[in-house]
Amino acid sequence: MSAVDLGALAADIAREAGELALRRRTAGYALAATKSTLADIVTEADREVEQLIRERLRSERPGDGFLGEETGAERGTSGLTWVVDPIDGTVNYAYGIAAYSVSIAVVEGEPHPEEWQGVASAVSAPMLGELFTAVRGEGAWLGDQRLTVTSETPAGALLGTGFGYDPATHDGDLVMVRRVMTMARDLRRMGSAAIDLSYVAAGRLDGFFERGLNAWDFAAGALLVQEAGGFVSRLELDMPRPMVIAGGSAVHDRLRSIISGEA
Ligand code: IPD
């Protein structure tokens, strides 16, 4: 299957999974469990949506690996792995805020973000009625509109960020926000890293930074940003999981130097 075909499959599954998430949310949801903190709500819908994605991939791409938020990792034999967040922005989902998404990426290489290369991805935001797609070498798209990151930020950069659900990380995050505000015109915390990255690709945000993200939160969005002409990097700081930084070239570089303490 070509990268374009893989992209079409990712988009098709993301669309179907998004519709299921939306239907389940409309019908009411049952709280299934809590993870590391109270705020990290996992719904029945989260599991059901991942199940749908996994089953479709099992029948259409049986040799591929899988890495999903809810059901974990399974190595494949084809060299491709599907990296899936069934509902990115579960807290928004639980509260009925529209900014949640299904995030699906297919990547090539060892199933670790430092080593893989994105091949195709899709981010579906069903309550917003938007589907973002990217294929390596073919660009990033919102429907039939080709996406490009911003390049000029004369009034300062409109930045997105997020905070991990572990309260122990909040102080560090707030210190970082204070530093980064020196280059910002304003800051958005929308609650779905996949949507934040899609918005960077679409030029709706100039840049994004968040530490502690899991691979399934950013795999699809990272390819969108890159295919929209932007840059995504990860910075190891004195923290358990690295900081993800994204933006057009100038904003990405400036964010990176502020966050690393060079500026
Ligand atoms: C979360 C969202 C949120 C980010 C958190 C993530 P989840 O993903 O992407 O924006 O700030 O760090 O964990 O848990 O809702 O899939």
Side-chain angles (χ1 to χ4, degrees):
M1 212 183 237
S2 69
V4 170
D5 290 339
L6 289 166
L9 180 61
D12 191 45
I13 298 177
R15 191 183 297 109
E16 187 184 339
E19 283 163 7
L20 173 63
L22 185 57
R23 273 202 312 279
R24 286 292 175 269
R25 182 61 186 79
T26 310
Y29 63 93
L31 294 188
T34 57
K35 282 200 279 192
S36 50
T37 71
L38 269 180
D40 195 357
I41 298 163
V42 183
T43 62
E44 289 285 357
D46 222 355
R47 292 181 183 160
E48 204 183 331
V49 172
E50 183 156 320
Q51 205 53 40
L52 177 149
I53 297 168
R54 205 162 182 167
E55 272 160 22
R56 275 208 63 186
L57 289 171
R58 217 174 255 142
S59 82
E60 300 194 39
R61 301 287 310 165
D64 295 350
F66 187 86
L67 174 62
E69 180 175 25
E70 298 303 322
T71 52
E74 186 181 311
R75 272 190 102 90
T77 50
S78 65
L80 296 175
T81 303
W82 294 81
V83 186
V84 169
D85 193 344
I87 299 178
D88 183 58
T90 40
V91 175
N92 281 349
Y93 186 75
Y95 275 74
I97 296 172
Y100 63 84
S101 60
V102 176
S103 173
I104 301 181
V106 54
V107 302
E108 193 169 38
E110 280 303 300
H112 186 279
E114 296 304 335
E115 289 166 55
W116 70 43
Q117 269 211 312
V119 177
S121 70
V123 174
S124 165
M127 210 170 156
L128 299 170
E130 293 192 313
L131 176 67
F132 298 86
T133 58
V135 174
R136 187 167 72 203
E138 302 288 335
W141 301 81
L142 172 57
D144 57 6
Q145 182 197 338
R146 189 161 187 162
L147 304 179
T148 315
V149 297
T150 58
S151 50
E152 303 289 326
T153 55
L158 183 61
L159 299 174
T161 192
F163 308 108
Y165 296 140
D166 178 359
T169 61
H170 289 167
D171 279 354
D173 289 342
L174 292 174
V175 168
M176 204 55 83
V177 165
R178 185 180 310 128
R179 281 178 25 203
V180 162
M181 284 311 282
T182 55
M183 67 173 283
R185 88 182 279 163
D186 207 344
L187 186 67
R188 297 286 177 271
R189 193 286 189 253
M190 270 169 312
S192 161
I195 291 182
D196 291 322
L197 288 163
S198 302
Y199 279 19
V200 172
R204 295 175 182 171
L205 289 174
D206 298 306
F208 169 76
F209 64 101
E210 182 172 349
R211 75 170 183 169
L213 286 175
N214 289 297
W216 46 78
D217 297 319
F218 66 83
L223 185 65
L224 277 155
V225 172
Q226 287 158 345
E227 285 299 322
F231 293 83
V232 180
S233 65
R234 304 208 311 148
L235 198 57
E236 300 280 350
L237 300 169
D238 52 346
M239 53 185 73
R241 283 192 298 239
M243 175 80 80
V244 172
I245 298 168
S249 162
V251 167
H252 169 273
D253 293 356
R254 179 96 184 111
L255 264 176
R256 215 181 139 89
S257 62
I258 289 177
I259 287 168
S260 63
E262 287 160 18

